[in-house]
Amino acid sequence: MATIDAFNHNVPAESDFGYSQAIRSGELIHISGQLAFDEAGEFLHAGDFTAQLKQTYANTDKVLEHYGVTRNQVVSQTLYVVNLRQNAAATAEGNLAYFGDHRPASTVLGVTELTLPGQAIEISFVVDTRLPA
């Protein structure tokens, strides 16, 4: 029988919305949309796209670390970006800085708004633990 291997940052939104930050299913890890929040669950950097992107990737690193995997094992990501045309260059620059030479599949969607006021980016990921770290 399979067991649930879920990870949470233990921020209020997880219980308020009823979700986990990530859940492992066999060899795959599905990471919920990450955004720019601190360890207390407070949203950071409202209106500052680049700072939000950096914090979003930093929060993703915490999830990867929990499962003992690396960025090189990310097989896909979906980015939700407010004002995509305005933020396209910063999105590409942040993505290249985060992944280096690794190239996961990627879908970028321009959206009119996200959950929190001033939120400009949210990113979900799929990780395959069978890939080399």
Side-chain angles (χ1 to χ4, degrees):
M1 182 166 152
T3 60
I4 295 174
D5 183 4
F7 172 78
N8 290 296
H9 288 299
N10 296 314
V11 296
E14 294 163 350
S15 60
D16 292 348
F17 285 94
Y19 73 98
S20 293
Q21 295 295 331
I23 191 163
R24 185 176 188 148
S25 175
E27 302 301 328
L28 298 179
I29 301 166
H30 300 269
I31 302 175
S32 293
Q34 298 295 292
L35 53 120
F37 59 84
D38 65 14
E39 292 184 8
E42 296 297 319
F43 179 65
L44 303 173
H45 314 298
D48 184 337
F49 183 84
T50 301
Q52 284 186 42
L53 186 58
K54 288 178 183 176
Q55 185 64 45
T56 298
Y57 281 132
N59 289 341
T60 301
D61 283 340
K62 292 176 187 176
V63 179
L64 298 176
E65 183 179 311
H66 169 80
Y67 287 104
V69 297
T70 71
R71 299 170 186 180
N72 292 331
Q73 292 166 290
V74 172
V75 294
S76 70
Q77 64 176 341
T78 303
L79 298 89
Y80 303 89
V81 180
V82 175
N83 297 321
L84 179 58
R85 288 188 184 121
Q86 174 185 338
N87 292 314
T91 300
E93 184 178 308
N95 189 67
L96 289 168
Y98 185 72
F99 285 109
D101 291 333
H102 180 59
R103 298 290 186 262
S106 183
T107 300
V108 182
L109 301 166
V111 297
T112 56
E113 65 181 1
L114 291 164
T115 304
L116 302 172
Q119 183 183 353
I121 182 84
E122 186 164 332
I123 311 173
S124 63
F125 303 85
V126 177
V127 178
D128 189 333
T129 61
R130 296 168 292 195
L131 294 177

